[in-house]
Amino acid sequence: GKRNYRLAQEATGSAVLTQPELMLQPSVSATVSGWYWHSNGFDAIDDDQDIRAETRLLNGGETGLADRERYFKLLLKVKDG
């Protein structure tokens, strides 16, 4: 919510609190997402490729799991070239 936008703005310098539409820009959303992931300690659990566990930690449930799994598979293809 608003607290996360305020913290993201402070951490990244992007004016997402006052201009939330900036999150529609890929560079801003990627920077803010990376900040959120790192600042909440998700780095410690992301190496095992357990998308279900990571979704539960992020959402408290499995909302969006299918999309995350699909995007993760696409990212692996890009990474592996």
Side-chain angles (χ1 to χ4, degrees):
K2 189 173 182 177
R3 178 181 179 274
N4 283 333
Y5 273 70
R6 180 180 51 78
L7 293 172
Q9 182 169 299
E10 291 170 5
T12 67
S14 296
V16 294
L17 178 62
T18 55
Q19 299 175 49
E21 66 276 6
L22 291 173
M23 288 294 290
L24 297 173
Q25 297 177 13
S27 62
V28 174
S29 62
T31 299
V32 170
S33 297
W35 161 81
Y36 183 83
W37 189 265
H38 180 73
S39 67
N40 285 282
F42 293 127
D43 293 338
I45 55 100
D46 69 352
D47 291 338
D48 62 0
Q49 298 185 9
D50 187 348
I51 306 304
R52 182 178 304 268
E54 293 162 8
T55 297
R56 286 181 183 152
L57 283 172
L58 184 63
N59 288 349
E62 294 186 4
T63 302
L65 178 61
D67 285 335
R68 281 193 182 85
E69 289 174 332
R70 184 170 51 89
Y71 288 130
F72 186 74
K73 287 176 185 175
L74 287 171
L75 288 170
L76 286 179
K77 286 181 184 179
V78 170
K79 176 186 161 266
D80 294 337

